[in-house]
Amino acid sequence: MELRQTTFSFASILDNDFYKFTMQQGVVRLFPGAKARYKFINRGKHSFPVGFSEALRHAVNEMASLKLSPEEKKFLQITCPYLDPVYLDLLEGFRYNPEEVQIYQRGDQLEVKIEGFWYRTILWEVPLMSLICELYYKLSRTIRVNDEEVINITRSKIEAYHNLGVTVAEFGTRRRYGYNVHRLVLQALKQYGAGTFIGTSNVHLAMLYQTKPIGTHAHEWFMFHAARYGFKMANAIGLEHWVEVYRGDLGIALSDTYTSEVFFKQFDKMYSKLFDGVRHDSGDALLFGDKVISHYKRLGIDPRTKTIIFSDGLNYDKVARIESHFRDKIGISFGIGTNLTNDVGPEPMNIVIKMTDAHPQDGEWTEVVKLSDEQSKYTGSENMINLAKTILSIE
């Protein structure tokens, strides 16, 4: 198979998760001189075929031609009024710089590193992961179910969620089987998910299928704040800065960058009232939800006025168990990713790209870590993880 036949171009600069753009606006406004480093982590120990790095390099180079179209800019202006004109003008002039991405292959193992100004490099993670997945399946010559079956599988899932009485957003850009499958999934969700399907994290597909782009911030927002302000202040100042930028919009807080136990000690009454709710991304979902309910009750806040967005490796059985446990106790919604966009035959990839180091404008390069409620999702060196656990009194 020739290299040219195994590469492809992204359809749009907006073919990315919404929280990348919302965080980018925050970075532009608050930390324009900051720099960041990211690294590809092959959690699933996948073996990459010969020539994979060259194919990925070619695809990454092609991304330099992407730019925001007038129609896309208008969509963002109308749909996302909290994205200010200065930021949208910057995004209109933004171009990917492939030199920020280093790609190596040693045998069957892939290495990818990213480095540059944070406001620029923040956009690489999601499309790079999408490229890696799609190229992996193409170069490995995997066979998926046909288009009609993709639609039927998605229809059966969204109708089952409808029967549960829950709302579902699609969060599957990063580990999708491929762009065409992703479009088929959105087509089916839009067609058959009335009253249940509420939006997608993918901004390009939200525009294409006239639905809501969904997202707020990711772990890297708090990881950078730890490098800039220290582990003890990362959550509190990260939340404070989010409020400073969005003034009450985009009010779902991510809770597990340094364990949810640490987060809720700092998620005081002001933030608990101001934010609409929290997102669950690691650990036992039922224990987490019970903890959230107790937290709100302890502060005199009715949990039924708040929402938990569950987004950790969900499928129908997990959603049904969560819905049954929390029915009428607290608002719940679900962000479902890989189970929607990569359930077409071949095994989904288990890969991530995470920030490894941050360089505040007036600081120095500092290693960053993530301490999820699930130890298998920890990222960072053992020394820095142990230091963070010591400082934060995490056993």
Side-chain angles (χ1 to χ4, degrees):
M1 187 178 293
E2 295 181 4
L3 179 65
R4 187 170 299 174
Q5 292 177 304
T6 61
T7 58
F8 52 92
S9 297
F10 264 59
S12 165
I13 199 169
L14 295 185
D15 189 4
N16 205 328
D17 278 346
F18 186 47
Y19 65 25
K20 286 296 181 174
F21 299 105
T22 57
M23 287 191 297
Q24 186 185 45
Q25 174 170 264
V27 174
V28 168
R29 190 177 299 182
L30 301 176
F31 309 107
K35 296 180 180 180
R37 292 173 179 155
Y38 301 79
K39 182 175 73 173
F40 168 73
I41 302 172
N42 184 6
R43 284 179 176 167
K45 311 295 184 184
H46 305 285
S47 296
F48 291 88
V50 174
F52 188 91
S53 60
E54 288 87 350
L56 181 60
R57 178 80 265 169
H58 185 82
V60 166
N61 289 345
E62 288 187 342
M63 290 181 65
S65 64
L66 294 173
K67 60 181 180 180
L68 191 72
S69 71
E71 294 77 19
E72 290 171 331
K73 185 177 183 181
K74 185 176 181 181
F75 170 77
L76 293 175
Q77 288 171 330
I78 295 171
T79 310
C80 313
Y82 38 78
L83 298 179
D84 64 47
V86 173
Y87 169 69
L88 292 179
D89 283 350
L90 180 144
L91 186 60
E92 189 174 31
F94 180 90
R95 300 292 183 274
Y96 280 107
N97 179 4
E99 293 182 3
E100 294 166 346
V101 183
Q102 302 172 26
I103 302 170
Y104 308 98
Q105 185 169 354
R106 292 177 172 83
D108 64 355
Q109 291 304 298
L110 181 70
E111 295 181 26
V112 180
K113 296 180 180 180
I114 308 159
E115 181 177 331
F117 283 105
W118 189 24
Y119 82 89
R120 296 188 48 80
T121 56
I122 200 168
L123 292 189
W124 276 116
E125 175 195 346
V126 175
L128 267 176
M129 288 181 63
S130 300
L131 284 171
I132 290 169
C133 287
E134 187 156 355
L135 282 172
Y136 177 83
Y137 294 122
K138 286 189 175 184
L139 286 168
S140 301
R141 300 179 183 271
T142 59
I143 299 174
R144 67 168 174 87
V145 300
N146 61 39
D147 291 359
E148 182 180 0
E149 187 63 17
V150 173
I151 291 174
N152 288 337
I153 290 170
T154 308
R155 178 181 181 176
S156 67
K157 289 180 180 179
I158 199 62
E159 288 179 345
Y161 291 129
H162 176 78
N163 292 335
L164 275 181
V166 300
T167 55
V168 170
E170 180 275 309
F171 281 8
T173 302
R174 296 183 302 160
R175 287 181 284 264
R176 66 191 182 191
Y177 182 87
Y179 174 75
N180 291 332
V181 166
H182 202 172
R183 284 195 59 167
L184 291 168
V185 168
L186 261 292
Q187 176 186 326
L189 291 174
K190 179 72 173 180
Q191 183 174 355
Y192 301 110
T196 300
F197 172 59
I198 58 173
T200 173
S201 64
N202 188 291
V203 187
H204 164 62
L205 295 179
M207 176 179 170
L208 207 59
Y209 291 96
Q210 290 299 293
T211 189
K212 182 180 179 181
I214 293 179
T216 54
H217 48 245
H219 296 103
E220 67 181 288
W221 182 256
F222 299 98
M223 292 162 77
F224 174 85
H225 279 78
R228 176 66 179 83
Y229 302 101
F231 289 115
K232 281 187 175 292
M233 299 303 295
N235 285 322
I237 299 182
L239 293 172
E240 181 181 330
H241 279 153
W242 196 255
V243 173
E244 181 180 339
V245 175
Y246 288 105
R247 313 302 297 174
D249 284 316
L250 303 179
I252 297 294
L254 183 60
S255 57
D256 71 331
T257 308
Y258 302 109
T259 75
S260 59
E261 192 73 32
V262 170
F263 176 86
F264 284 110
K265 290 177 182 177
Q266 299 177 329
F267 198 55
D268 62 16
K269 191 166 189 175
M270 181 186 73
Y271 291 126
S272 295
K273 283 195 167 186
L274 184 58
F275 280 82
D276 300 319
V278 295
R279 179 160 72 91
H280 169 261
D281 196 52
S282 64
D284 188 288
L286 302 189
L287 291 176
F288 175 84
D290 288 340
K291 183 188 301 181
V292 174
I293 290 172
S294 296
H295 173 81
Y296 283 130
K297 286 183 175 178
R298 186 168 62 252
L299 296 176
I301 299 170
D302 185 350
R304 293 171 298 180
T305 66
K306 299 296 180 178
T307 299
I308 303 175
I309 307 295
F310 292 94
S311 63
D312 180 28
L314 297 175
N315 55 32
Y316 176 83
D317 291 338
K318 290 181 180 179
V319 171
R321 187 166 64 250
I322 293 167
E323 189 280 332
S324 175
H325 187 82
F326 293 111
R327 186 183 305 150
D328 300 325
K329 296 178 182 177
I330 191 169
I332 58 173
S333 190
F334 299 89
I336 302 178
T338 307
N339 186 254
L340 284 175
T341 61
N342 203 345
D343 185 19
V344 294
E347 190 74 18
M349 298 191 78
N350 184 6
I351 59 174
V352 295
I353 292 176
K354 289 295 180 184
M355 180 186 283
T356 59
D357 304 88
H359 190 304
Q361 185 167 345
D362 299 320
E364 57 188 20
W365 282 111
T366 302
E367 185 183 347
V368 297
V369 299
K370 177 171 76 96
L371 306 179
S372 298
D373 288 338
E374 188 177 325
Q375 288 197 20
S376 64
K377 289 189 172 184
Y378 280 13
T379 63
S381 71
E382 184 177 355
N383 286 342
M384 189 60 78
I385 287 173
N386 289 335
L387 177 62
K389 292 171 74 173
T390 299
I391 291 172
L392 296 171
S393 300
I394 297 172
E395 295 183 1

